[in-house]
Amino acid sequence: MPSDKPLQDDDESYSIIERLADAIRIEDDLHAGTEDRQRLVQDLYEGPKKCQCCLNWVHEMPPDVEVDQDNEDCTYPLIVRRRVLATMNGNKKRIELHSIEIRHPQVREVLFDVFEGYDNLVKEVKFLIFKAPFRPFFWRWDRFNAAIDKEESEVVKTILIQLRSLVRADLAEAFAVKDELVSHGIITFKHLWTIFPPGELVYETPRITRQSNLGDFFIVTEVEAPHDDPERYQRHPRYYLFCTGTSWNGSSFGATNDNISLSSFKGTRKIADMRVVPVKYLEDAAAIKTQCLERGRRHHELAGITYKAYLPEKADEMSESERKQHTNRIILDSRNCPRRTFTRHLSEVNKPQLYTELITQAPVDAAPPGGHRPLEDNPLRPRYRQPIPVHDHDAPYDEPYARPPPRPLVVEDDPMATGTEDGDKNKKQVLDELELLLLSSYMHGYCLKERKWDDFEVDRIIDVEKNTKPFDSLVLPDGYKDLILSFVENQLKDGEAFDDVINGKGGGLVMLLAGDPGVGKTMTAESVAEKIHAPLVKMELSDLLKDERDRMPERRRRDSRSRSPVSSRDDDELTRTFSLAAKWKAVLLIDECDMYLEKRSDDSPERNRLVARFLRELEYYPSLLFLTTNRERVLDPAIYSRIHLTINYPALDLSSRLAIWKTFLGMEEGEFASTVTDEEFDTLASIETNGRRIKNITKTARMMAKRYDRGITFEDIRNVMRITEGLQI
């Protein structure tokens, strides 16, 4: 009977574990009779090597090892192979189990049922070999014992009992650890494999960098223990868990892989405190499952190309204004993300392929690919390697592979994929509870402010608040906003109104906003995007011009020779930005376009190529494009001819400046509201300046006022203008 007090991981506890293991071995020897063993089991031993690549199995006993007398009969249903290994001092040798081959057909049938799902076992194959350290038996021990108890054939039952005796003796230490440590919720690093059987549902606790307090659920498909390779254990003592989860690849939901490493630790550790915890040892498992299921439903809802907002880190500790200021706009788009997730078919979530690497259906003494390596092989001489055959997944499976090649990954062109590029909710797969539970806590997307692809936590993704206030507060002469909004709304309602006579060309709306700096050109594009609730994508042509200069002559020659419609130019930032903006139905903004889209000349071949590429993309762009410039007439004529609407912004007059001052100073409310009077507003409006400078002045004055926990005063603005503008008012 195991004691109620858990054992500690010191020399004394290990001696107790070893004594328990010896007791288990003696108990198994009593149950399995010696006569039955000699009749049913044949022992083979490692003999002198014949080649460098294989073990040579012999019937004779090694001369310097004491073993029981061997039986020479070849009709044994169990073939036990044992390796002869040197001890630590090198003077003596020890014998260690290598493998057990099952040659009895009825016994194989029973074991096929016991280990169903492991290592792609195929009943039609006549080979079945279990390799030490026989972990599959430990993981399926209850199932194995149940199969023995219900077996009706006395012959088969006797063979199974002998097999149980062999493997239990080899697993005696693991069973002792299970009884004395795992039963009390603690584990040692050496025996971590005992709590992670393939097919186990596990929970990975949230990483330090994650703001959410929820982790991820996975199904373990394979465990790689470091003790199997002593040299590797000395270099990298860690376990590797190969797991399966659920993810969205941009077209459909599917099974995905995730590898988790567990670093070594000394002594014992509480299982519930580990980085990865089997669900049966997880504290408050029901509540965590409920929260992760809700997150999975949210992930399923967000799948597709979606325009959302993303909360900042520690948003709960911020004020409402700070939270709004640091909240970013993002586009969720797994399909077009460079780090796109590749998935297998969704059915592999509920029935994953489980691997132990310890069950094989290939002959132990089969020659490796390329043939045997002679003992006196010269390592400097290149050896002939046979080409790896291409496996036909649709052909009947009749080869004794130890592990058949995996089926190809499901990509967007797979006929089984039922999702769509735009994430149509009516065509998404319906996920069951397990598939929702295993959905990733992250989604691929693009941050519009930082202009980069990233992974975003599902728990921090929120809806974008509809806000028409920026457009309503936009200060423009009478009729300007109505004209702009009329063009935009007609484009959204009936995009082909601006279409070309040739199908597939045009369809977009290009607007040029021209005027002096600070008159509201950029703000117009930003407020229009807010008005129509569309993402705003900003393109920097300076990066594209540098890219054009860095392009190698070999690449340009390759592009010129290519006749494929998908050429290397698809990798260019210009093409990709236009393509993504169209897919996202975004408003595309190019500030100060005159610096890079000037009239072509012989003095700047790089700019000429950039203009040509820009024209090519503009020809087929179907969405909204805003260009801003301070020098309207320097644009290339071909660019200018493709502009549908040009808006010229006049310099700000007195009434416009007054409206802008009131807009920026009226942004704060309550105790931080501005105390500037109407007369002081008139004084500020009389100063000739532009909207950008007004914005910067009020921003600086607000920071000064907040230092004293009050609203902006006229004196604050006077001080800022005196210091930054050199003006006395």
Side-chain angles (χ1 to χ4, degrees):
M1 294 292 293
S3 62
D4 295 333
K5 182 179 180 181
L7 299 176
Q8 302 300 316
D9 191 16
D10 51 23
D11 293 339
E12 183 180 358
S13 66
Y14 269 116
S15 65
I16 295 176
I17 292 294
E18 290 172 356
R19 288 200 299 271
L20 289 173
D22 291 339
I24 292 174
R25 295 186 183 99
I26 294 173
E27 180 184 358
D28 289 332
D29 289 339
L30 294 176
H31 286 295
T34 304
E35 181 180 348
D36 288 338
R37 189 190 187 289
Q38 293 179 351
R39 179 171 53 88
L40 301 173
V41 180
Q42 181 184 25
D43 292 306
L44 299 180
Y45 302 92
E46 180 183 4
K49 277 186 169 292
K50 293 183 178 181
C51 62
Q52 295 187 34
C53 49
C54 301
L55 296 176
N56 179 33
W57 301 108
V58 297
H59 296 281
E60 295 80 9
M61 296 181 296
D64 49 355
V65 179
E66 293 185 2
V67 294
D68 294 336
Q69 185 176 3
D70 198 55
N71 194 324
E72 296 291 339
D73 189 3
C74 297
T75 61
Y76 296 102
L78 301 178
I79 304 297
V80 179
R81 292 176 170 85
R82 304 176 186 269
R83 294 199 64 181
V84 180
L85 304 174
T87 57
M88 294 295 293
N89 56 26
N91 297 328
K92 296 183 180 180
K93 295 183 178 180
R94 61 185 176 88
I95 286 183
E96 183 179 275
L97 270 178
H98 173 272
S99 61
I100 301 176
E101 182 178 349
I102 313 299
R103 291 193 174 181
H104 195 284
Q106 283 76 27
V107 174
R108 281 201 302 266
E109 290 291 329
V110 174
L111 296 177
F112 281 142
D113 294 334
V114 171
F115 298 103
E116 182 183 5
Y118 280 177
D119 296 298
N120 285 327
L121 295 179
V122 180
K123 292 185 177 181
E124 289 74 17
V125 179
K126 296 182 179 180
F127 294 101
L128 182 61
I129 300 170
F130 295 91
K131 298 180 181 179
F134 308 111
R135 296 190 188 109
F137 283 93
F138 181 87
W139 291 325
R140 296 278 179 93
W141 192 253
D142 293 339
R143 195 166 173 176
F144 182 40
N145 281 328
I148 295 176
D149 293 340
K150 73 176 183 180
E151 178 57 45
E152 298 178 355
S153 171
E154 288 299 325
V155 175
V156 174
K157 190 170 188 175
T158 303
I159 298 173
L160 290 173
I161 292 174
Q162 285 295 326
L163 177 61
R164 180 174 63 183
S165 174
L166 289 169
V167 297
R168 184 171 172 82
D170 199 70
L171 293 170
E173 184 176 318
F175 282 110
V177 168
K178 178 182 178 182
D179 293 338
E180 293 298 326
L181 297 182
V182 177
S183 62
H184 294 92
I186 58 176
I187 193 65
T188 63
F189 178 73
K190 179 181 178 181
H191 299 95
L192 272 180
W193 63 269
T194 61
I195 62 173
F196 292 112
E200 184 78 3
L201 180 64
V202 298
Y203 175 74
E204 183 186 18
T205 56
R207 302 182 179 95
I208 297 176
T209 56
R210 186 181 301 180
Q211 295 301 307
S212 172
N213 59 354
L214 282 181
D216 291 275
F217 282 96
F218 297 100
I219 293 177
V220 177
T221 57
E222 185 177 352
V223 180
E224 188 175 293
H227 307 85
D228 298 340
D229 187 347
E231 293 184 4
R232 179 180 173 186
Y233 178 71
Q234 295 297 328
R235 297 192 308 269
H236 305 289
R238 60 179 62 226
Y239 276 83
Y240 289 94
L241 304 181
F242 300 92
C243 304
T244 287
T246 314
S247 188
W248 170 258
N249 66 9
S251 300
S252 62
F253 290 98
T256 186
N257 295 331
D258 203 317
N259 302 335
I260 306 173
S261 64
L262 299 176
S263 301
S264 63
F265 57 87
K266 295 182 180 180
T268 58
R269 180 167 294 183
K270 188 177 179 181
I271 299 175
D273 294 339
M274 294 177 55
R275 177 189 167 194
V276 181
V277 185
V279 171
K280 66 178 74 172
Y281 302 103
L282 182 63
E283 298 176 355
D284 204 12
I288 294 176
K289 276 188 174 183
T290 301
Q291 295 178 64
C292 287
L293 274 173
E294 188 61 33
R295 184 187 63 195
R297 295 185 182 95
R298 174 67 172 164
H299 189 142
H300 184 270
E301 178 187 350
L302 294 172
I305 297 178
T306 316
Y307 176 44
K308 293 295 177 181
Y310 191 62
L311 291 175
E313 297 180 359
K314 300 181 180 179
D316 296 337
E317 302 174 8
M318 297 180 179
S319 63
E320 186 67 24
S321 59
E322 288 178 327
R323 190 182 301 114
K324 288 183 178 180
Q325 181 181 356
H326 294 92
T327 297
N328 289 328
R329 303 292 179 86
I330 61 173
I331 302 290
L332 299 177
D333 185 0
S334 297
R335 185 185 183 93
N336 296 294
C337 180
R339 295 176 294 177
R340 180 182 178 187
T341 300
F342 288 92
T343 61
R344 305 183 306 280
H345 197 266
L346 189 61
S347 60
E348 292 194 29
V349 173
N350 283 280
K351 291 185 178 180
Q353 296 181 358
L354 308 178
Y355 297 104
T356 69
E357 302 291 348
L358 297 173
I359 309 176
T360 178
Q361 294 186 271
V364 172
D365 51 359
H372 293 286
R373 291 175 54 191
L375 285 174
E376 310 225 343
D377 189 15
N378 182 2
L380 299 179
R381 177 174 60 84
R383 297 187 303 274
Y384 170 73
R385 292 181 180 270
Q386 292 183 351
I388 299 176
V390 178
H391 187 80
D392 184 5
H393 291 280
D394 296 324
Y397 183 81
D398 55 1
E399 300 175 80
Y401 285 97
R403 184 173 181 177
R407 298 191 67 86
L409 297 175
V410 175
V411 295
E412 63 272 19
D413 296 328
D414 194 301
M416 297 300 294
T418 58
T420 59
E421 180 174 338
D422 58 356
D424 187 352
K425 296 182 180 180
N426 295 326
K427 296 186 179 180
K428 289 181 188 176
Q429 301 110 306
V430 177
L431 304 185
D432 60 27
E433 189 170 287
L434 177 61
E435 293 161 349
L436 289 171
L437 184 67
L438 298 182
L439 266 175
S440 172
S441 58
Y442 287 91
M443 299 188 74
H444 298 315
Y446 184 83
C447 181
L448 296 170
K449 181 179 180 180
E450 299 180 5
R451 298 174 56 218
K452 70 174 185 179
W453 293 92
D454 208 340
D455 293 333
F456 300 98
E457 296 179 35
V458 175
D459 292 331
R460 292 166 58 188
I461 300 172
I462 61 174
D463 294 333
V464 176
E465 295 182 6
K466 292 186 178 181
N467 185 13
T468 61
K469 187 176 180 180
F471 189 81
D472 297 336
S473 61
L474 188 64
V475 179
L476 292 175
D478 292 341
Y480 275 56
K481 289 198 288 187
D482 289 339
L483 179 61
I484 294 171
L485 202 57
S486 298
F487 266 70
V488 171
E489 289 177 345
N490 277 278
Q491 166 66 14
L492 295 176
K493 181 180 179 181
D494 194 12
E496 61 269 15
F498 295 96
D499 205 354
D500 198 278
V501 293
I502 299 176
N503 291 335
K505 292 184 65 177
L509 174 62
V510 183
M511 300 178 65
L512 177 66
L513 310 180
D516 295 334
V519 294
K521 302 185 299 295
T522 303
M523 189 176 178
T524 298
E526 294 171 344
S527 59
V528 166
E530 286 289 324
K531 178 73 174 178
I532 64 176
H533 200 64
L536 179 69
V537 177
K538 294 183 179 181
M539 183 189 296
E540 295 292 340
L541 292 182
S542 57
D543 298 337
L544 302 176
L545 184 59
K546 182 180 182 298
D547 174 67
E548 189 64 48
R549 290 170 179 167
D550 293 342
R551 296 179 79 192
M552 299 299 293
E554 291 81 5
R555 182 179 175 184
R556 294 200 297 270
R557 287 197 297 269
R558 183 170 67 250
D559 287 347
S560 63
R561 291 195 301 265
S562 176
R563 296 183 180 181
S564 171
V566 183
S567 64
S568 61
R569 73 179 180 88
D570 290 333
D571 297 330
D572 294 338
E573 189 69 21
L574 179 69
T575 301
R576 183 165 178 80
T577 303
F578 268 102
S579 175
L580 291 176
K583 292 176 180 179
W584 297 341
K585 299 179 181 178
V587 174
L588 185 58
L589 171 63
I590 303 177
D591 255 332
E592 309 298 340
C593 66
D594 52 274
M595 296 180 62
Y596 310 101
L597 300 179
E598 290 185 14
K599 184 178 180 180
R600 285 168 282 186
S601 65
D602 297 335
D603 297 335
S604 180
E606 292 87 2
R607 180 177 283 109
N608 294 345
R609 284 192 292 271
L610 177 60
V611 172
R613 292 167 56 203
F614 189 86
L615 287 169
R616 184 170 58 241
E617 299 301 332
L618 196 62
E619 195 77 22
Y620 294 92
Y621 184 61
S623 192
L624 294 172
L625 170 62
F626 283 91
L627 304 172
T628 70
T629 178
N630 301 328
R631 301 178 298 161
E632 176 185 355
R633 295 303 173 184
V634 303
L635 293 177
D636 189 271
I639 298 287
Y640 202 83
S641 67
R642 286 166 172 78
I643 295 171
H644 298 98
L645 177 64
T646 301
I647 304 292
N648 285 288
Y649 287 70
L652 298 178
D653 56 17
L654 182 66
S655 61
S656 298
R657 292 193 295 269
L658 178 61
I660 294 174
W661 277 110
K662 288 186 176 181
T663 297
F664 285 115
L665 289 175
M667 295 178 67
E668 297 287 353
E669 298 178 353
E671 59 179 329
F672 295 107
S674 171
T675 60
V676 179
T677 64
D678 292 340
E679 293 78 8
E680 291 168 341
F681 271 120
D682 293 338
T683 302
L684 295 175
S686 64
I687 302 172
E688 292 190 2
T689 185
N690 60 48
R692 185 172 290 112
R693 292 171 66 184
I694 294 174
K695 176 183 177 181
N696 293 335
I697 291 170
T698 55
K699 182 178 180 180
T700 307
R702 182 175 294 109
M703 288 188 291
M704 292 178 60
K706 282 193 174 182
R707 183 184 179 191
Y708 301 101
D709 293 328
R710 57 174 175 78
I712 301 174
T713 64
F714 183 70
E715 191 64 26
D716 294 330
I717 298 175
R718 288 182 61 182
N719 289 334
V720 172
M721 296 188 71
R722 177 176 56 83
I723 296 171
T724 62
E725 305 290 331
L727 295 176
Q728 296 285 347
I729 58 174

